[in-house]
Amino acid sequence: MGVCTPQFSLGLISKNFIWLTLVPIFSSSPLVCAATFIEAGETLNIDQTTAQDNYLARNGGVLNANGANTFEVLINSGSVLNAVGGTYAGRFGNAGVSVTNASASLTDAIVTGDRMGMSVNRVAGSPTGSSAVISGSQITGRTAGLETSGGSTTVMTDTHLTATAATGVGLNSFGGEVHAKGGSIMGGLHGIRLRPDTQGIGNGANVILDNVQVQGQTGAAILATSGVTSHIQ
């Protein structure tokens, strides 16, 4: 188990030890990390002068990142991430950016994770998911570039998703809605894999592609697994 080492002076924003879970609707090993909390009613602005740290926004907290270089960022329960430029690096199995029943906007960002690059998902049992709007960004992970759940919507423009592992999938969708224009979706195995949401949330794993390069190095460009309802354009 890795322990994150904080480097950031908190001011009015709280830091404490929490259990971080990679993706709430999928199996994962929780990790103990010190995180900077952004709570209800709080807004934290960070930029390239801010020391590298990891963040958890919850209960409506807002994180604005302008050219910042961070470790893992978790955006939960009605909170918002606005990221312009910068790097967001997940460690110890965490995604660089995890959005859970929350929303995120990323522009010209570089997001990496040593498992998946980014997740857009929901807590198990929740009838709704998350939303993300991503433009001009690079999202890279080992097992998946981006993973998303039923009830979640991701809109990407000129964005590149990459999964580097031999069994990796560029876009791993468990019933999510994904629209992509420009850019690329690449995986060591499959480019895109469409699966049903484990609890039947959402309208199926739907993908709309416009001038997007999709490639699976050794598998399919797009694979729809058994039992999934999907619409591909």
Side-chain angles (χ1 to χ4, degrees):
M1 179 180 292
V3 178
C4 306
T5 54
Q7 302 176 350
F8 181 65
S9 178
L10 298 180
L12 297 178
I13 301 297
S14 63
K15 180 183 282 276
N16 209 333
F17 282 90
I18 59 168
W19 288 97
L20 300 186
T21 302
L22 177 61
V23 182
I25 62 167
F26 305 116
S27 63
S28 60
S29 298
L31 304 169
V32 177
C33 289
T36 296
F37 283 36
I38 306 102
E39 301 282 4
E42 296 179 341
T43 297
L44 178 63
N45 300 316
I46 60 175
D47 59 22
Q48 66 274 14
T49 67
T50 306
Q52 196 168 17
D53 199 359
N54 56 328
Y55 298 89
L56 170 62
R58 60 186 184 181
N59 302 322
V62 177
L63 176 61
N64 297 319
N66 187 1
N69 298 306
T70 78
F71 297 123
E72 48 279 334
V73 173
L74 291 86
I75 308 299
N76 294 350
S77 55
S79 294
V80 178
L81 169 66
N82 298 305
V84 178
T87 63
Y88 308 84
R91 309 158 298 163
F92 312 124
N94 285 298
V97 175
S98 296
V99 186
T100 306
N101 294 101
S103 62
S105 172
L106 286 79
T107 302
D108 299 330
I110 298 175
V111 182
T112 59
D114 57 12
R115 187 176 174 188
M116 70 185 71
M118 179 173 176
S119 64
V120 181
N121 60 81
R122 61 182 180 81
V123 173
S126 171
T128 59
S130 297
S131 63
V133 177
I134 308 166
S135 177
S137 297
Q138 300 177 40
I139 302 175
T140 304
R142 291 189 66 258
T143 60
L146 174 73
E147 201 159 273
T148 186
S149 73
S152 296
T153 300
T154 303
V155 178
M156 300 184 294
T157 304
D158 297 328
T159 291
H160 301 278
L161 303 182
T162 305
T164 59
T167 56
V169 179
L171 169 62
N172 199 22
S173 176
F174 289 80
E177 185 89 14
V178 178
H179 299 190
K181 182 176 182 178
S184 63
I185 303 175
M186 316 284 283
L189 183 58
H190 304 306
I192 298 173
R193 180 167 58 196
L194 305 177
R195 296 176 171 182
D197 181 90
T198 56
Q199 297 177 334
I201 302 300
N203 298 314
N206 301 314
V207 180
I208 298 177
L209 304 173
D210 181 359
N211 195 32
V212 180
Q213 180 184 4
V214 181
Q215 182 178 355
Q217 296 293 332
T218 60
I222 302 177
L223 175 67
T225 63
S226 177
V228 68
T229 300
S230 62
H231 180 69
I232 304 169
Q233 290 186 343

